[in-house]
Amino acid sequence: MDITEINIEGALEKMEAGEWTASEILEACLENIKEKEPDVQAFLEVWEEDAREQAKSVDERRAGGKPVGLLAGIPIAIKDNILVVDHLASGASKILEPYKAAYSATVVEKLLAEDAVLIGRTNCDEFACGGSTENSGFGPTHNPHEPTRVPGGSSGGSTAAVAAGMCLAALGSDTGGSIRQPASFCGVVGLKPTYGRVSRYGLMSMSSSLDQIGPVGKNVDDCARVLSVIEGKDDMDATSVNHPPTLVEAVAHGEDSKFLSELTIGVPKEYFETEGIDPEVAKKVKETIAGLEIRGATIKEISLEHTAHALATYYVLMPSEVSSNTARYDGVRYGLSKGENLDEVYVQTRTAGFGAEVKRRILLGTFALSEGYFDAYYKKSVAVAQAIRQDFMQAFDEVDVIVSPTSPVIAFKLGERIADPITMYLSDVYTVSANLAGIPAISVPCGEIDGLPVGIQFMTPHFHEDRLLHISSFIKN
Ligand code: GLN
């Protein structure tokens, strides 16, 4: 069995038909991990023994004719900022060492209730702060397509693991693009749901008003399946809401031309005029849009007026919330603790425990929230975020879907941008707006440049993941 070629639907069919067992699928993934992990380093920990037990239990129940869940026997990797009870959880930060989760995230409970096999925890930028996975406290992950390149971030371990066939799907988190940008760099599909569709309970908060957990898969159908399992209102997260469930069947086999001929796709003119966009990326994305037009979709140029301010807004709002959310890592409550008295504990623990990028964001955020600057920075950025959201709402009066590149560039070289935060932040230019507006967005592979994947991004109005998945299923990858 070549596990890199198999998707969730295929694996479930083979297991139902009795041709493969969950244990065999798991062993194929573990084999791949053994072979590729030295080059890729996608995982912080592989839960071999737990996973073997989960797979065995699924096999026994299947063999005994007992009912099994929707993801029975499917190996799924979990980004290491999502809690799994009694397992180490680090957020890829040294400050949490050796913290073990006291409870599981709701999404984890939901995966387990549908009999998914949890294969391990994946590397990421520290507390999800970054776009290359180089900000991990435990060393970078490498792009499986080309190990000298980054996998993107912050969910780079999750996207690299899926791309390398080390699991069939993974969970990531997306605050400003952390599922979609690494999905585009690794040539897999990554979806950020509408804010509120998926519970954040048990996700280490980065920027609570923007964070969402979402699926990473080899194809659109796999993402739909995982989303349909993890979504839903949760009493433990007051921002989660009730909504119509994701229609897996509708998107899985829905390549009907009627859908496309009734669809208007908006192309924001500002998104192709961005400084620093690789012309080859723009070309691939434009070709893909032209392909959709040939097949019947109506393409319309639109304007998202406040786009130019999206990055600046995000890079004020997000650090403000990061500075507040990271206050809990004080050397008293969790993980690492250094120093003799309270002041020393704060200073020494946080100095030794946090990496440079998290420290930078704490400083920026604390500044933006401080007296005298609050109105000029934080309050203003909240107002601009509102204007950005309004732009989208207006645009969606005219179009059903908005399209753009996921990232202005393909996977860059390890070390190339890490010393220059501004250049690093620029790679988030197309992804942050969906978080600020709260709308769902997806990245789907749409071609390659010199063997490295390019991603196209689609966005739809709040809670229209069905439309998002449906349009994405037309892009062949
Ligand atoms: N790359 C973005 C950042 O550095 C996005 C992070 C995220 O979505 N978690 O903040």
Side-chain angles (χ1 to χ4, degrees):
M1 148 192 346
D2 181 1
I3 198 73
T4 32
E5 298 300 319
I6 294 156
N7 59 23
I8 295 183
E9 186 183 24
L12 290 174
E13 275 170 13
K14 294 273 190 198
M15 283 189 278
E16 292 301 331
E19 286 176 42
W20 294 345
T21 63
S23 302
E24 285 166 348
I25 292 176
L26 173 66
E27 291 310 323
C29 288
L30 292 173
E31 200 49 49
N32 237 349
I33 293 176
K34 211 155 96 197
E35 189 191 316
K36 299 181 183 171
E37 193 57 355
D39 286 335
V40 178
Q41 292 167 42
F43 284 90
L44 290 176
E45 192 181 6
V46 179
W47 299 320
E48 258 179 70
E49 291 321 309
D50 284 4
R52 283 198 170 110
E53 264 173 45
Q54 288 164 6
K56 195 165 146 237
S57 148
V58 168
D59 286 336
E60 283 168 2
R61 275 179 288 147
R62 254 203 192 105
K66 298 213 179 87
V68 289
L70 291 170
L71 294 173
I74 302 297
I76 295 186
I78 309 289
K79 183 176 181 179
D80 196 32
N81 59 352
I82 300 173
L83 305 186
V84 180
V85 69
D86 294 333
H87 287 70
L88 290 172
S90 75
S93 180
K94 291 237 166 12
I95 208 161
L96 273 178
E97 263 187 325
Y99 172 74
K100 274 195 177 170
Y103 62 95
S104 284
T106 300
V107 289
V108 165
E109 301 273 7
K110 285 182 173 236
L111 288 178
L112 290 173
E114 295 298 341
D115 296 317
V117 170
L118 305 188
I119 193 163
R121 56 189 176 100
T122 53
N123 198 16
C124 55
D125 286 297
E126 183 176 11
F127 294 126
C129 294
S132 67
T133 315
E134 291 168 290
N135 295 329
S136 166
F138 305 100
T141 296
H142 300 243
N143 193 311
H145 294 270
E146 167 59 68
T148 59
R149 308 253 170 179
V150 302
S154 65
S155 312
S158 287
T159 55
V162 172
M166 298 171 172
C167 53
L168 288 189
L171 293 186
S173 68
D174 191 312
T175 304
S178 274
I179 292 176
R180 291 160 286 155
Q181 185 255 28
S184 88
F185 281 16
C186 289
V188 294
V189 180
L191 183 141
K192 180 202 91 74
T194 306
Y195 186 78
R197 184 178 272 273
V198 176
S199 166
R200 293 176 297 112
Y201 181 66
L203 169 69
M204 293 175 195
S205 298
M206 174 185 169
S207 180
S208 317
S209 70
L210 307 172
D211 300 338
Q212 267 292 284
I213 296 173
V216 176
K218 289 180 191 165
N219 62 19
V220 176
D221 179 55
D222 286 2
C223 283
R225 282 170 194 271
V226 174
L227 179 62
S228 73
V229 166
I230 61 172
E231 68 188 357
K233 177 160 176 56
D234 177 15
D235 289 340
M236 303 305 282
D237 174 4
T239 60
S240 69
V241 290
N242 268 323
H243 50 74
T246 301
L247 304 171
V248 178
E249 301 312 324
V251 297
H253 307 290
E255 226 188 290
D256 53 308
S257 50
K258 191 162 172 286
F259 171 79
L260 216 48
S261 63
E262 288 173 356
L263 200 77
T264 306
I265 302 175
V267 183
K269 63 173 193 296
E270 295 86 355
Y271 281 33
F272 289 90
E273 291 161 2
T274 319
E275 212 183 302
I277 182 169
D278 177 342
E280 289 292 313
V281 169
K283 190 164 159 247
K284 283 272 178 252
V285 173
K286 282 184 178 160
E287 279 169 10
T288 310
I289 299 171
L292 291 170
E293 188 172 24
I294 290 167
R295 294 166 75 187
T298 306
I299 308 297
K300 188 169 180 177
E301 189 181 84
I302 57 165
S303 170
L304 295 170
E305 208 190 318
H306 294 90
T307 290
H309 308 299
L311 261 188
T313 307
Y314 172 78
Y315 275 98
V316 173
L317 260 185
M318 175 276 296
S320 301
E321 295 189 24
V322 166
S323 75
S324 140
N325 275 325
T326 47
R328 74 194 65 178
Y329 308 116
D330 54 8
V332 179
R333 278 175 282 190
Y334 320 92
L336 188 74
S337 189
K338 286 171 145 335
E340 298 302 321
N341 57 45
L342 195 60
D343 281 349
E344 264 181 40
V345 169
Y346 287 163
V347 173
Q348 292 184 14
T349 306
R350 289 167 70 86
T351 302
F354 288 135
E357 181 62 25
V358 169
K359 282 180 188 154
R360 181 178 297 119
R361 293 181 190 212
I362 292 173
L363 287 173
L364 282 170
T366 309
F367 177 75
L369 292 176
S370 59
E371 205 186 336
Y373 295 101
F374 182 84
D375 284 359
Y377 292 105
Y378 183 77
K379 222 167 144 191
K380 185 107 174 234
S381 68
V382 171
V384 181
Q386 198 54 38
I388 288 169
R389 188 186 169 106
Q390 217 44 52
D391 277 358
F392 277 101
M393 297 307 97
Q394 268 165 18
F396 285 129
D397 284 341
E398 291 177 47
V399 300
D400 305 299
V401 175
I402 294 175
V403 68
S404 77
T406 306
S407 161
V409 292
I410 51 171
F412 41 87
K413 292 220 161 81
L414 279 143
E416 191 180 293
R417 297 191 169 206
I418 196 74
D420 180 0
I422 302 287
T423 317
M424 185 74 93
Y425 298 167
L426 284 176
S427 70
D428 304 331
V429 64
Y430 300 126
T431 47
V432 295
S433 294
N435 301 76
L436 294 170
I439 57 175
I442 193 169
S443 176
V444 189
C446 70
E448 286 184 355
I449 299 170
D450 300 333
L452 291 168
V454 181
I456 187 168
Q457 172 176 243
F458 294 107
M459 296 175 267
T460 53
H462 297 99
F463 296 109
H464 280 290
E465 276 82 349
D466 49 353
R467 195 188 296 161
L468 189 66
L469 291 158
H470 203 156
I471 177 67
S472 304
S473 66
F474 284 82
I475 310 298
K476 285 290 152 249
N477 41 78

